[in-house]
Structures are given as structure tokens and as C-alpha cells.
Amino acid sequence: ISGEWDGNLDFTLDTDVTGETWDGQPAFFKRGKVPDEEEEEEEKTTWRLKERMKTVSVALVACLNIRVDPPDVVKPSPCARMECWMDPFSMTPAKALEQIGKNLEAQYQCWQPRAKFKQSLDPTVEDVKKLCDSLRRSAKDERVLFHYNGHGVPRPTSNSEIWVFNKNFTQYIPLSVYDLQTWLGSPSIYVFDCSSAGVLLNSQTNQEDHIIFAACSAGELLPQNPDLPADMFTSCLTTPIKMALRWFCTRSSPLLHMDPDLVDKIPGRLNERKTVLGELNWIFTAITDTIAWNLLPPDLFQRLFRQDLLVASIFRNFILAERLLRSVNCTPVSVPRLPPSYQHPLWSAWDLAADVCLSQLPELLANPNVEYQHSTFFTEQLTAFEVWLEFGSSNKSKPLELPIVLQVLLSQVHRLRALMLLARFLDMGSWAVHHALSVGIFP
């Protein structure tokens, strides 16, 4: 058809001219997609992980130089002293440094027991380079985690340099984070537990396949509260339940007389949900996962919380670190950056669960025959989800409690009710199925 369009549709058939003749059978062509359909299909497939990753190696670098304070730090008396839940002044500096390294390794092993761990305690630049080269060779294309404790050296410089020592401990030697990233390669995770750690998050160090956690923003000092550990940030990332409960004890009313030392005596294991400690960890995981799912864009949530188990754990624990450290005038930062979550309403549910546990602990420890009253957290959240299904689902907004429903499916006690509620939700249409898939509820 040539000339002006006459209002009739013009169909043209493009065929592949291969020299073959038509055999008289009908030919079928794939229907083209309109733009809206393409967008819908792209949205539906965002929950699919392109690839899973694993953190296979962990470098633990501690620059403590115990009993020698760096020149730019003035510590009050008393001040925070605990490192990896031990007092470094309770033994000789050499033994304390060795024990801190062992404790830190054990804390990370809870999250990634199969990883290869290597320590470098009070190292030189050459020691760090050898460590990084060795771990990258063994990790190949998998992820490596680099943990840096800089409590015994000066603050990082504005040129993105951290500090280590010379061989005789007579000088502080700067180490460029750019060089560090060159040695360690990618993909990598960096944890910087030192004052003014946020200064290391400049444009030079921001790469797509690098994840960075910093204990505080540029210009901020680490807290020195003697009731809290000196490595509060590390404690949040590696022992979140213990840190959260001890912090809760310091914030509770003096009338309640909550002894922080009781936290170490909570019965059970983290991976056994029927025990007291396991139940708390289960609730904590559900709450932090839900906060992240509600605040992050879907693609970022998938990358940080569903691709690598260790990365997901550390980011969940980082959400706790933001809440706790902000209470002592520190603002942890990360790459990728997370939106503020320290005032999320679900933290009230965590405080209630912690209070229920700690209030029963003295009687429970005094008499093992006393029956522990389990938390009603999951029952209440399922009720909240049911209320949303009744009254809040008309606008097709994603329900706050959906990730908690995923956690409840792990429990035989609540599974039937959770499945019935989930079925009602999925019956609402493809948008509901998409939200369920984005959380991780797969068929």
C-alpha cells in the first residue's frame, strides 16, 4: 500500500526466504507482544535469581596493639573494652590478641561454617597483601570477605587509607583501600570496624561487585560506653541476638533489674527453633527480613537477601546495627546503601519478644522444670495478615507480613493456618503471586 493511510490496517508478512517451497501446511508465527505485556513479563521474572553466589573465604585482620592507644583517640575512664566478648586486659597482650582472633573466627563460622578462614593479627602491609592474594587464588570467582578491626590504629585518612604496623611496631603504616581491593579482587565484601569508617566509602571504592559495611559515618567516633563492647558493630554483625539482648538490658527500666550477664545463659541453640534461643533467632530473622523486603526495591532485595546466604545474614544483622548504633550517636553505612530502618514499627514487636524472654529467664534458670511460655509473635503476625486480607487488600499493595508468612511455613504448629491464608492471598491474582515469589515462596 502506498500513499496516504486510508484508515485500514496494513498487514505485511515477513517470511524467511530460504529457497524452500511452501508445502501447503499452515504456518504458525509467534504473536508479537505489546509494550504493556513486555513490562508485565519483565516484572514477573524479577524474582528469578540469575545466579547464586557463595562466600568461600574470610580474611580476619585485627590491628589492636593491645594496651597502646592510637594518638588520635582519647578514651574516657571507664570505657568500652570488650573485643569479641572478652576483656583483652584480662591476660597478656599476645594471648589476648590470639584469643580475639579465635573468637572472631568462631563468630563468623556460625554464619558460614564451610568457609576458609585466615587471620592476620597486628599485620604489616606485606602480611595483608599475602593474605589477600592467597584467599583470592583459592576462592577463584567466588566471593571473599575481608574484616578489618582498626581499634588500635589511627582513624582512616581522607584518601581512603587504613592503617597497619611496621615489623617493629614503631610506626603506623597507611594501606590504601584501592590497593586492598586490587589484591582481593572481586566479588568481595568489606567490613570496616573503626572510627570514621564512612570516609572509606568514596567513589574510588564503590564498585558494583563490592559490598562494604562501615561501622560509622565519616567524622564519627566509635561509642565508648563501658556497658557495651568496643567492637559493637562487629558484635551486631556476628552475634546479633546476644548484642541485641544486652543492648535491651541497658535500655530497660532500672525497676526491672535485668542482668545483662543472664543473656549468656539463655538455653538452647540458634538453629533449633523450639528452644528459647532458637525461637528468638527465628523471630529476629523474620523481622529483619520483613523490614528489608518492605523498604528495598525488589531487585536489590533479591541481590542482597536471596543470592548469598552469608551476605543475607550480614545485611539482616546490619539492619540491627543501624538501630543499636544510632542510639549511641553513630550511623553505620553500607554499599549498597540501605534506607533508614531504625524506626520501623516491627522493632516494637522485637522488643516485646525480648522482654517476654528476659522476664522469664531468672525463674527458668533457677528451676529447669518451669515451662517456658513461648512468644506469640507469629500468631499475632498471622492475625495481622488475616486482617489485611479482609480489609486492606483492595488497593493491591503488598502486605507487610508476607515475609513472616514464609517463616511461619517452617513451623508445624502454624503451617496449616499459614497455608490457608497464603492460598487466599494468591487467589487475588497475578500481582499477589508476584509478591509471593519476590519474598521467596516458591511452588
Side-chain angles (χ1 to χ4, degrees):
I1 298 177
S2 60
E4 297 292 331
W5 179 54
D6 59 1
N8 296 318
L9 296 178
D10 175 19
F11 292 94
T12 59
L13 184 62
D14 294 330
T15 58
D16 181 18
V17 181
T18 59
E20 298 180 357
T21 58
W22 180 50
D23 59 2
Q25 298 298 320
F28 297 95
F29 298 90
K30 186 176 181 180
R31 182 175 67 88
K33 297 175 184 175
V34 296
D36 289 344
E37 290 176 328
E38 292 177 353
E39 292 176 5
E40 184 178 354
E41 178 161 323
E42 182 179 353
E43 182 183 4
K44 287 180 181 179
T45 57
T46 54
W47 60 272
R48 293 186 184 274
L49 291 176
K50 294 181 180 179
E51 60 178 358
R52 288 191 177 273
M53 297 195 69
K54 188 183 296 183
T55 303
V56 297
S57 301
V58 178
L60 304 175
V61 177
C63 297
L64 294 174
N65 199 14
I66 295 171
R67 299 190 181 180
V68 178
D69 292 336
D72 62 346
V73 175
V74 179
K75 294 184 178 180
S77 181
C79 67
R81 288 167 57 165
M82 300 279 282
E83 298 277 358
C84 293
W85 301 109
M86 64 158 288
D87 184 355
F89 291 82
S90 63
M91 57 188 74
T92 63
K95 288 185 177 180
L97 184 63
E98 180 183 359
Q99 189 60 50
I100 289 170
K102 290 180 180 179
N103 289 2
L104 182 58
E105 181 172 329
Q107 290 171 198
Y108 269 111
Q109 280 180 331
C110 291
W111 305 103
Q112 187 67 300
R114 296 183 180 179
K116 179 180 180 180
F117 290 86
K118 281 196 173 184
Q119 302 176 22
S120 189
L121 308 177
D122 285 354
T124 64
V125 172
E126 291 74 18
D127 294 334
V128 176
K129 186 178 187 303
K130 289 179 182 178
L131 175 68
C132 294
D133 290 342
S134 171
L135 290 182
R136 176 47 64 192
R137 278 196 303 270
S138 63
K140 298 180 181 178
D141 295 329
E142 297 287 1
R143 187 174 272 130
V144 178
L145 185 147
F146 181 90
H147 180 102
Y148 174 79
N149 178 327
H151 296 175
V153 292
R155 281 171 272 176
T157 70
S158 57
N159 294 325
S160 295
E161 295 167 320
I162 56 176
W163 297 91
V164 291
F165 303 98
N166 65 354
K167 291 184 178 180
N168 300 321
F169 292 94
T170 56
Q171 285 183 314
Y172 300 109
I173 307 299
L175 168 59
S176 168
V177 173
Y178 177 81
D179 290 340
L180 178 64
Q181 292 181 332
T182 302
W183 301 335
L184 203 59
S186 61
S188 302
I189 312 170
Y190 299 87
V191 177
F192 295 111
D193 189 344
C194 55
S195 292
S196 197
V199 76
L200 301 172
L201 274 62
N202 61 30
S203 58
Q204 186 182 22
T205 60
N206 289 352
Q207 298 184 25
E208 185 176 351
D209 50 4
H210 289 168
I211 295 172
I212 305 175
F213 299 95
C216 55
S217 299
E220 293 181 346
L221 298 178
L222 294 178
Q224 295 292 338
N225 186 338
D227 295 328
L228 299 171
D231 62 344
M232 186 175 175
F233 183 63
T234 296
S235 298
C236 287
L237 297 187
T238 58
T239 55
I241 304 303
K242 184 174 183 176
M243 185 66 247
L245 294 179
R246 280 185 165 266
W247 176 85
F248 183 80
C249 289
T250 64
R251 307 281 288 187
S252 60
S253 170
L255 297 176
L256 299 178
H257 300 293
M258 289 189 177
D259 183 4
D261 292 334
L262 289 178
V263 172
D264 298 330
K265 301 175 183 178
I266 296 177
R269 302 179 63 180
L270 288 172
N271 57 355
E272 295 178 1
R273 292 189 297 274
K274 293 183 179 180
T275 66
V276 180
L277 190 59
E279 183 182 67
L280 279 174
N281 187 56
W282 187 24
I283 294 172
F284 174 80
T285 301
I287 286 175
T288 49
D289 214 46
T290 301
I291 290 174
W293 184 72
N294 279 278
L295 292 181
L296 297 182
D299 56 340
L300 187 60
F301 176 80
Q302 291 290 322
R303 182 160 69 92
L304 301 184
F305 289 83
R306 293 295 183 265
Q307 191 181 57
D308 183 319
L309 291 177
L310 181 61
V311 171
S313 298
I314 295 179
F315 264 106
R316 279 195 293 266
N317 301 343
F318 179 81
I319 291 174
L320 171 73
E322 189 210 5
R323 186 193 189 207
L324 270 55
L325 282 160
R326 277 183 177 266
S327 71
V328 288
N329 302 317
C330 277
T331 307
V333 288
S334 67
V335 175
R337 288 186 179 271
L338 301 187
S341 59
Y342 64 102
Q343 292 181 323
H344 196 279
L346 272 178
W347 283 122
S348 298
W350 167 254
D351 290 341
L352 178 60
D355 190 31
V356 168
C357 171
L358 292 173
S359 63
Q360 298 181 65
L361 205 52
E363 187 178 2
L364 196 64
L365 296 174
N367 183 4
N369 295 322
V370 173
E371 184 177 355
Y372 177 72
Q373 299 297 317
H374 289 276
S375 171
T376 58
F377 170 78
F378 288 105
T379 302
E380 292 167 354
Q381 294 301 315
L382 285 179
T383 300
F385 184 51
E386 187 172 11
V387 171
W388 181 89
L389 289 172
E390 286 289 336
F391 304 106
S393 57
S394 57
N395 57 2
K396 295 186 178 182
S397 61
K398 62 182 184 181
L400 171 72
E401 302 83 10
L402 192 57
I404 298 175
V405 175
L406 172 62
Q407 291 291 331
V408 172
L409 292 175
L410 301 173
S411 167
Q412 292 182 349
V413 176
H414 303 292
R415 186 176 297 156
L416 178 60
R417 184 186 179 197
L419 285 172
M420 293 175 65
L421 294 176
L422 183 61
R424 287 176 57 188
F425 176 65
L426 296 177
D427 281 344
M428 292 180 175
S430 60
W431 65 273
V433 175
H434 167 70
H435 283 318
L437 292 172
S438 71
V439 169
I441 304 176
F442 301 141

